[in-house]
């Protein structure tokens, strides 16, 4: 057995160690999510925690770790009456991201259930983790169907396995610990909220601390047993402190003042639901017990907020987790006393009172004229703005003379990035046909989870049984097999597996025109808002995304295909514009990226999203070059959508021609909105109703 790295030997990472220890003191805190870059001791610290948790008493012979003092009355191995108890170390069970649902919840022997009428159940990882730790490394990459199972078990404290009328239920209460690298994608909000605490970790930038990390790791790798022995004293002391804090925990008093601070803090930061208040209360109580106190202080509430609230404030995957500590301190100070009393002095420092005659915002605030306020860039106060947009007078109006080529660089060279417009809910864009890619929520696929469409013989181990088809296959052979009892004689050849249709995730590759023809401020802001909306849709549908931009002299792969949608949003925010429009270069770059991705992941089907007005410049015949590049994608059957960004009363229709070359679909920015068609249907119905009434 491998000797684990000692918990007390981890260098730095104070927040990570504290969050893990608080859960060891009070498992009801609800677990920990550890976010951070690779190589920051996330997994090392989690695996080391299991050695510090006190041993648990279990019913002898029970595979589901029932507590002898309060055994589960519905335990599949029960009932437990007058049985002995045994002590064993607390388990840490690791859930691989590629695990099957049967491995997680357990498996029923369907053949024995049909033929003998018995519940032959093999426990899964949830049963093993009961009263211990369930650890998921790279939890953000966990398949959706496993996430659903975890959510159910975490909410109910039990696992249910049901197959064709045969059901098993057992207790499953565990400490959920997950680690993730945000660069590889974010968590679904439902699972994110199930983690009681979250911590952000990063590698130290202090040379001395980094040297110590390397020194200890090398010593551990050379002789793990000897290294662990050197830290045995610190480990024993920490284990004893955890035991003492657990014993003190029931005596800790959470006063009304602390409760008011907790409630006020959660309200001030506008977190959803009441789970945050409950987690903060349990965390503050555990902090007091860890410090050896029986009263919860304001400092406990503050630390609890820093651990329990950051991940609950996110409204979309593009929001960075975090907490405004100045706002937190103001809230705690305002609600510091049990008796609210008079209004607190907003500025208790008499020496810092401003001169009432002095301008409160000398640098210019929202109403001033300094750097902090005044007119927006590119507006009337900046008539010659670098964007050369409609307000700056540098770009020609949209919908100019048909056939007249727009200048290669609207407004000159590279333009400053502009902010994206408010994102909106988009229409559902999917890849036609039936795929077999990774589970997701975009396109139709043959999957293990979804609606049943038929049956087939199993290839390999039996998955989801199709009961009716199995009975139908076995029924004609009962007399020949000598059936005499009530059970059905079932052979392996009779088993039929359910054929299901589900949804898969896709590779959504964005090709965004960032040239001068798109550089007008209002226009590029709308384009970025549309791309941001599509990225949000890709996040919700569990897609991989990539981002290519073309402008100036060529195209650039700004973000290689990744599961991190927020990374794509960050690249989009900093996207500069201006210069020529090398549309063909963008399409050829997309062709190269998709060719490589097909070799890496042949089961994942791509969806090409080209965001452009269809214009092309550069070379002797840029539109012909773009047309040939588009036909390359069409020849390979790549599903494509062109988001037509052209606007104005007169349109050239170049984006529609590009979509025809791609054998794809063209949609305008307005048509991209999910409510566009709904609004049209409503207006038609209203008009029809009005005519009938007339």
């Amino acid at each position: 057995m491998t000797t684990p790295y000692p918990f007390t030997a981890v260098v730095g990472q104070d927040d990570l160690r504290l969050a893990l220890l608080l859960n060891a003191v009070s498992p009801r805190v609800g677990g920990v999510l550890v976010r951070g870059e690779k190589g920051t001791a996330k997994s090392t610290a989690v695996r080391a925690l299991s050695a510090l948790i006190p041993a648990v008493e279990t019913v002898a012979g029970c595979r589901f770790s029932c507590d002898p003092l309060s055994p589960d009355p519905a335990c599949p191995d029960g009932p437990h009456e007058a049985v002995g108890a045994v002590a064993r170390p607390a388990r840490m069970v690791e859930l691989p991201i590629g695990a099957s649902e049967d491995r997680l919840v357990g498996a029923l022997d369907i053949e024995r259930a049909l033929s003998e009428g018995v519940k032959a159940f093999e426990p899964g990882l949830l049963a093993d983790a009961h009263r211990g730790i369930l650890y998921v490394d790279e939890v953000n990459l966990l398949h959706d169907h496993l996430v659903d199972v975890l959510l159910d078990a975490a909410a109910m404290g039990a696992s249910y396995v049901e197959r064709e009328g045969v059901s098993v239920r057992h207790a499953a209460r565990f400490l959920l610990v997950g680690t993730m690298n945000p660069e590889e994608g974010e968590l679904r909000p439902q699972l994110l909220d199930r983690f009681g605490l979250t911590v952000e970790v990063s590698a130290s930038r202090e040379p001395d601390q980094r040297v110590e990390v390397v020194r200890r790791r090398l010593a551990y790798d050379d002789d793990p047993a000897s290294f662990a022995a050197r830290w045995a004293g610190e480990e024993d002391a920490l284990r004893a402190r955890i035991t003492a804090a657990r014993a003190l925990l029931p005596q800790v008093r959470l006063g009304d003042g602390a409760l008011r601070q907790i409630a006020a803090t959660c309200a001030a930061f506008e977190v959803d639901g009441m789970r945050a208040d409950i987690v903060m209360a349990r965390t503050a109580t555990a902090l007091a017990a860890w410090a050896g106190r029986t009263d919860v202080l304001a400092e406990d509430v503050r630390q609890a907020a820093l651990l329990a609230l950051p991940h609950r404030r996110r409204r979309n995957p593009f929001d960075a987790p975090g907490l405004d500590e100045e706002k937190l301190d103001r809230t705690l100070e305002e609600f510091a006393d049990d008796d609210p009393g008079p209004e607190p002095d907003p500025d208790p420092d008499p020496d810092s009172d401003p001169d009432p005659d002095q301008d409160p915002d000398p640098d210019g605030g929202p109403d001033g004229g300094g750097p902090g306020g005044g007119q927006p860039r590119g507006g009337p106060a900046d008539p010659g703005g670098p964007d050369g947009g409609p307000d700056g007078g540098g770009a020609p109006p949209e919908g100019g003379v048909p056939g007249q080529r727009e200048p290669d660089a609207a407004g000159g060279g590279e333009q400053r990035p502009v902010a994206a417009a408010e994102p909106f809910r988009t229409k559902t864009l999917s890849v036609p046909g039936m795929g077999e890619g990774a589970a997701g929520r975009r396109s139709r696929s043959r999957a293990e989870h979804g609606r049943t469409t038929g049956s087939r013989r199993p290839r390999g181990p039996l998955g989801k049984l199709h009961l009716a088809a199995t009975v139908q296959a076995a029924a004609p052979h009962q007399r020949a097999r000598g059936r005499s009892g009530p059970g059905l004689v079932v052979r392996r050849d009779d088993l039929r597996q359910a054929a299901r249709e589900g949804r898969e995730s896709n590779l959504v590759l964005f090709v965004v025109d960032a040239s001068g023809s798109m550089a007008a401020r209002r226009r590029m802001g709308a384009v970025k808002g549309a791309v941001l909306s599509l990225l949000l849709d890709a996040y919700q549908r569990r897609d991989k995304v990539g981002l290519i931009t073309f402008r100036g002299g060529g195209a650039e792969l700004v973000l290689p295909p990744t599961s991190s949608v927020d990374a794509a949003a960050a690249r989009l925010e900093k996207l500069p514009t201006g210069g020529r429009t090398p549309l063909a270069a963008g399409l050829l770059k997309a062709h190269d990226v998709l060719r490589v991705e097909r070799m890496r992941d042949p089961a994942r089907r791509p969806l090409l999203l080209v965001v452009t007005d269809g214009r092309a410049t550069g070379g002797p015949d840029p539109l012909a070059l773009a047309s040939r590049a588009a036909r390359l994608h069409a020849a390979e059957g790549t599903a494509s959508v062109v988001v037509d960004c052209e606007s104005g009363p007169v349109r050239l229709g170049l984006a529609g021609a590009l979509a025809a070359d791609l054998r794809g679909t063209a949609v305008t920015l307005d048509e991209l909105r999910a409510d566009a068609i709904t609004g049209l249907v409503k207006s038609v119905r209203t008009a029809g109703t009005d005519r009938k009434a007339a």
Side-chain angles (χ1 to χ4, degrees):
M1 182 177 177
T2 304
T3 303
Y5 192 91
F7 188 87
T8 51
V10 175
V11 179
Q13 308 296 10
D14 295 337
D15 288 342
L16 169 59
R17 291 189 295 167
L18 177 62
L20 291 172
L21 289 171
L22 291 177
N23 275 274
V25 171
S26 176
R28 298 180 68 192
V29 166
V32 187
L33 174 64
V34 188
R35 298 165 44 96
E37 59 196 26
K38 51 188 175 293
T40 50
K42 300 188 298 292
S43 300
T44 299
V46 173
R47 292 189 175 99
L49 176 69
S50 60
L52 299 176
I53 296 180
V56 295
E57 295 278 337
T58 65
V59 173
C62 178
R63 297 174 298 165
F64 300 89
S65 303
C66 280
D67 186 347
L69 300 179
S70 57
D72 182 6
C75 176
D77 284 355
H80 301 301
E81 298 178 359
V83 295
V86 295
R88 62 160 177 79
R91 292 175 182 155
M92 190 192 75
V93 178
E94 294 196 39
L95 171 60
I97 59 174
S100 66
E101 185 177 342
D102 285 346
R103 182 70 187 98
L104 178 61
V105 301
L108 288 168
D109 190 332
I110 300 295
E111 188 170 351
R112 287 192 62 193
L114 285 173
S115 59
E116 303 175 25
V118 298
K119 296 180 181 179
F121 181 71
E122 184 65 28
L125 296 177
L126 290 179
D128 293 341
H130 180 47
R131 303 176 67 199
I133 302 172
L134 182 63
Y135 171 49
V136 189
D137 194 12
E138 305 294 351
V139 64
N140 50 324
L141 303 182
L142 199 63
H143 291 301
D144 275 359
H145 66 282
L146 297 182
V147 170
D148 293 337
V149 172
L150 277 182
L151 288 174
D152 290 342
M156 297 182 292
S159 174
Y160 291 85
V161 184
E162 298 193 10
R163 290 260 181 98
E164 310 296 348
V166 181
S167 63
V168 173
R169 175 239 175 244
H170 65 83
R173 293 183 296 275
F174 47 81
L175 171 61
L176 183 61
V177 180
T179 57
M180 60 174 282
N181 183 349
E183 294 178 356
E184 297 174 341
E186 285 292 345
L187 277 178
R188 284 170 52 184
Q190 298 94 326
L191 182 57
L192 190 64
D193 190 51
R194 285 294 174 185
F195 287 97
L197 311 179
T198 185
V199 291
E200 297 278 340
V201 296
S202 60
S204 172
R205 300 298 182 257
E206 293 293 330
D208 291 343
Q209 196 171 75
R210 295 175 74 97
V211 166
E212 186 61 23
V213 170
V214 175
R215 181 181 291 118
R216 293 185 185 182
R217 187 70 211 190
L218 293 177
Y220 171 78
D221 291 341
D222 289 341
D223 190 350
S226 176
F227 182 82
R230 293 205 303 271
W231 291 90
E234 287 83 350
E235 292 282 288
D236 290 341
L238 189 58
R239 193 177 294 107
R241 185 177 176 184
I242 292 173
T243 302
R246 280 191 168 191
L248 183 62
L249 187 64
Q251 305 173 35
V252 175
R253 187 183 74 89
L254 184 64
D256 290 343
L259 275 174
R260 289 182 66 252
Q261 286 183 317
I262 290 170
T265 301
C266 293
F269 286 101
E270 300 179 351
V271 296
D272 295 333
M274 295 298 298
R275 184 173 285 117
D277 304 62
I278 297 171
V279 171
M280 272 190 66
R282 290 172 175 168
T283 305
T285 303
L287 281 162
W290 180 247
R293 289 184 271 101
T294 56
D295 287 307
V296 174
L297 305 181
E299 63 194 62
D300 301 323
V301 176
R302 185 182 192 278
Q303 184 64 59
L306 293 175
L307 293 172
L309 296 188
H311 62 300
R312 292 187 165 89
R313 294 189 60 249
R314 305 185 70 194
R315 292 295 180 267
N316 64 63
F318 312 132
D319 294 337
L323 215 60
D324 183 346
E325 296 194 30
E326 292 184 2
K327 181 178 179 180
L328 173 61
D329 291 335
R330 289 196 303 270
T331 303
L332 293 176
E333 183 178 355
E334 181 180 355
F335 292 87
D337 300 321
D338 289 334
D339 181 10
E343 284 292 324
D345 184 358
D347 190 0
D349 185 0
D351 296 332
S352 63
D353 288 338
D355 186 347
D357 298 327
Q358 184 179 349
D359 182 1
D361 190 9
D363 294 329
D367 300 322
Q375 300 292 337
R377 289 193 298 266
D382 187 13
D387 294 308
D391 297 329
E398 273 295 309
V401 179
Q404 178 177 332
R405 191 173 68 180
E406 190 169 308
D408 291 342
E414 181 174 306
Q415 315 299 314
R416 287 177 295 181
V418 298
E422 189 69 21
F424 52 85
R425 191 165 63 90
T426 66
K427 290 174 58 177
T428 301
L429 305 176
S430 60
V431 179
M434 187 80 72
E436 295 183 346
R441 296 181 175 180
R442 183 173 295 278
S443 305
R444 296 171 59 203
S445 70
R446 302 178 186 88
E448 294 182 1
H449 303 272
R451 65 185 184 91
T452 301
T453 59
S455 64
R456 59 178 175 84
R457 291 180 181 273
R459 296 189 294 267
L462 178 67
K464 299 289 185 180
L465 179 77
H466 194 296
L467 180 59
T470 299
V471 172
Q472 186 177 5
H477 308 290
Q478 296 307 296
R479 181 176 296 177
R481 292 173 182 173
R483 172 187 170 188
S484 58
L488 191 68
V489 181
V490 179
R491 303 282 172 82
R492 174 70 187 177
D493 291 341
D494 302 327
L495 298 178
R496 296 294 184 267
Q497 184 166 317
R500 297 175 180 266
E501 179 181 312
R503 291 282 169 176
E504 67 175 1
S505 62
N506 298 106
L507 167 59
V508 181
L509 183 60
F510 292 86
V511 181
V512 180
D513 185 349
S515 64
S517 68
M518 304 282 286
R521 173 172 293 274
R522 293 177 182 173
R523 190 175 179 192
M524 198 60 199
V527 169
K528 282 190 174 182
V531 177
L532 196 64
S533 304
L534 290 166
L535 283 171
L536 181 58
D537 181 69
Y539 164 76
Q540 293 169 342
R541 299 184 188 280
R542 315 303 290 169
D543 294 316
K544 289 181 68 175
V545 297
L547 179 61
I548 293 172
T549 63
F550 58 93
R551 56 179 290 274
E556 178 186 3
L557 178 60
V558 177
L559 181 71
T562 176
S563 297
S564 181
V565 175
D566 55 340
R571 304 290 199 283
L572 180 71
E573 182 182 358
K574 301 175 182 177
L575 179 65
T577 57
R580 295 180 180 272
T581 312
L583 176 57
L587 295 173
L588 291 174
K589 173 66 75 172
H591 185 267
D592 291 341
V593 171
L594 293 181
R595 177 178 54 81
V596 173
E597 288 301 310
R598 284 190 180 99
M599 292 187 291
R600 289 177 176 171
D601 189 358
R604 189 183 293 270
R605 298 187 294 164
L607 175 62
L608 182 66
L609 289 179
V610 185
V611 185
T612 181
D613 57 9
R615 290 178 171 87
T617 59
D621 195 348
L623 287 177
L625 288 174
S627 177
R628 286 199 293 270
R631 288 197 292 269
L632 286 176
H633 290 281
E636 295 186 352
T638 302
S640 305
V641 176
V642 177
V643 180
D644 184 358
C645 302
E646 192 175 29
S647 60
V650 180
R651 299 175 183 244
L652 303 180
L654 297 175
L658 176 63
D661 289 330
L662 288 165
R663 295 182 190 169
T665 305
V667 295
T668 65
L669 289 176
D670 290 336
E671 292 170 343
L672 189 62
R673 294 178 177 270
D675 56 0
I677 297 178
T678 304
L680 176 62
V681 172
K682 286 181 178 178
S683 65
V684 170
R685 285 179 176 173
T686 302
T689 303
D690 292 342
R691 283 195 298 270
K692 288 181 180 179

